[in-house]
């Protein structure tokens, strides 16, 4: 067993790629999953099954409703997917309703405070949800519903990057290294790369300038930092899509199919009279 740390350099290839993807104001193509159109009143009575089928086959479901679901309807939809995870982080409790619905309202300008970034104009680096937890404690699905999209159509697109594409780009040697590497602080956590149902599944967050402390279970840890560097380059160098939010839109992301993140809001959006507001469920 070996321990070490990875810290990015400003000249690393993925740093410029990350900036171009998340902070340049680029308009990304929408997800390939076909949109399912329905009314909020009728969604749970039938069209929901089309969404579940699409999610099972592609790892993503996109639903366009005439208006957002009520909290009760949103919880009922989540219950069809699994068990909603309680939001227990003290930093987010002011934004929580019904113990499991997180209101992602843009209320802060750009901030270095990680706990406030989901509620600010910052971009969010690519990651898998709860990557440091045990595999059984990580959410399977992230459900996002738009209440207010914001006034600027380029503001805060939710970014999706397929794990299968990333795994192909890193190559077999780096993949083998990542399969024997995990976060050091998470002794019972999964490796950075594993296989689930025959698919490559990552548990990984781009820590940006913060060190990533790792443990490698193999005999030779000399290639770990290079493998992490290759992973980051693949994450930001592959085909990314962006969700362009509209009121009543729901997107379900399978946490074992996609990395996800968020583009930055333009500076003018911080003073918008109608800041973006999404609701989120995390489903086990």
């Amino acid at each position: 067993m070996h321990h070490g740390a990875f810290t990015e350099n400003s000249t690393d290839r993925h740093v410029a790629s990350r900036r171009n993807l998340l902070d340049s104001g680029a308009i990304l193509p929408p997800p390939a999953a076909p949109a399912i159109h329905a009314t909020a009143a009728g969604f749970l009575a039938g069209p929901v099954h089309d969404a579940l089928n699409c999610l099972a086959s592609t790892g993503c479901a996109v639903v366009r409703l005439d208006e957002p679901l009520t909290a009760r309807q949103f919880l009922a939809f989540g219950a069809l997917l699994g068990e909603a995870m309680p939001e227990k982080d003290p930093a987010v409790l002011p934004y929580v309703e019904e113990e499991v619905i997180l209101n992602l309202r843009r209320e802060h300008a750009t901030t270095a405070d990680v706990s406030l970034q989901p509620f600010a104009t910052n971009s969010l680096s690519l990651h898998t949800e709860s990557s440091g937890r045990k595999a059984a404690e990580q959410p399977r699905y992230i459900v996002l519903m738009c209440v207010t999209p914001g006034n600027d159509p380029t503001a805060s697109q939710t970014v999706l990057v397929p794990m299968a594409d990333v795994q192909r780009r890193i190559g077999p040697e780096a993949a083998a290294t990542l399969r024997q590497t995990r976060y050091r602080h998470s002794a019972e956590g999964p490796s950075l790369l594993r296989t689930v149902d025959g698919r490559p599944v990552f548990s990984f967050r781009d820590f940006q300038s913060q060190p990533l402390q790792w443990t490698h279970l193999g005999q030779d840890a000399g290639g770990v930092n290079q493998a992490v560097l290759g992973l980051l380059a693949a994450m930001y160098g592959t085909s990314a899509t962006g969700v362009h939010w509209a009121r009543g839109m729901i997107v379900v992301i399978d946490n074992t199919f996609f990395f996800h993140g968020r583009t930055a809001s333009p500076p003018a959006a911080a003073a918008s009279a109608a800041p973006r507001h999404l609701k989120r469920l995390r489903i086990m």
Side-chain angles (χ1 to χ4, degrees):
M1 183 181 296
H2 303 271
H3 303 295
F6 169 84
T7 304
E8 72 177 22
N9 293 312
S10 60
T11 55
D12 290 338
R13 180 159 54 107
H14 74 273
V15 174
S17 298
R18 181 175 62 213
R19 184 168 56 248
N20 290 338
L21 177 64
L22 301 180
D23 296 303
S24 68
I27 305 294
L28 299 173
I36 296 158
H37 295 262
T39 64
F43 175 59
L44 295 175
V48 66
H49 298 294
D50 294 329
L52 297 178
N53 290 336
C54 188
L55 179 63
S57 61
T58 69
C60 179
V62 178
V63 180
R64 291 184 176 271
L65 302 177
D66 58 337
E67 61 182 359
L69 300 175
T70 65
R72 182 176 179 180
Q73 291 171 322
F74 195 40
L75 292 171
F77 178 43
L80 294 175
L81 296 167
E83 181 181 355
M85 297 175 62
E87 297 287 350
K88 297 181 178 181
D89 185 342
V92 306
L93 289 180
Y95 302 93
V96 176
E97 61 178 304
E98 302 292 342
E99 298 185 344
V100 295
I101 300 175
L102 181 64
N103 287 280
L104 294 167
R105 298 188 184 93
R106 193 187 62 232
E107 295 183 350
H108 303 278
T110 299
T111 175
D113 187 335
V114 174
S115 65
L116 293 179
Q117 286 179 355
F119 313 98
T121 60
N122 296 62
S123 61
L124 296 179
S125 62
L126 293 174
H127 62 282
T128 60
E129 196 71 20
S130 303
S131 61
R133 295 186 179 185
K134 298 177 184 178
E137 296 177 354
Q138 295 180 15
R140 177 62 187 265
Y141 303 112
I142 300 98
V143 187
L144 299 170
M145 179 176 68
C146 182
V147 179
T148 306
N151 289 344
D152 192 315
T154 69
S156 297
Q157 301 161 76
T158 297
V159 180
L160 304 181
V161 171
M163 293 183 185
D165 287 356
V166 172
Q167 193 268 347
R168 282 192 291 269
R169 289 175 64 91
I170 63 176
E173 184 175 346
T177 298
L178 295 173
R179 289 182 186 278
Q180 296 189 79
T181 306
R182 58 168 170 77
Y183 294 158
R184 193 190 312 178
H185 71 270
S186 182
E188 297 182 336
S191 58
L192 302 185
L193 173 61
R194 66 190 193 277
T195 299
V196 176
D197 297 331
R199 295 181 289 102
V201 175
F202 291 89
S203 289
F204 182 78
R205 173 179 292 273
D206 171 14
F207 286 94
Q208 302 187 76
S209 61
Q210 299 300 310
L212 188 167
Q213 306 285 340
W214 51 257
T215 293
H216 183 69
L217 304 179
Q219 296 296 317
D220 182 6
V224 173
N225 283 350
Q226 194 62 34
V228 172
L229 194 61
L231 172 57
L232 288 163
M235 288 164 60
Y236 291 104
T238 192
S239 300
T241 58
V243 178
H244 306 268
W245 290 102
R247 179 173 168 80
M249 189 174 182
I250 297 174
V251 173
V252 187
I253 304 165
D254 189 322
N255 198 38
T256 68
F257 272 77
F258 291 96
F259 292 96
H260 65 282
R262 188 184 72 193
T263 62
S265 295
S272 169
R276 194 185 78 157
H277 176 194
L278 304 181
K279 293 194 175 192
R280 186 192 77 181
L281 287 171
R282 296 184 299 171
I283 305 293
M284 297 289 289

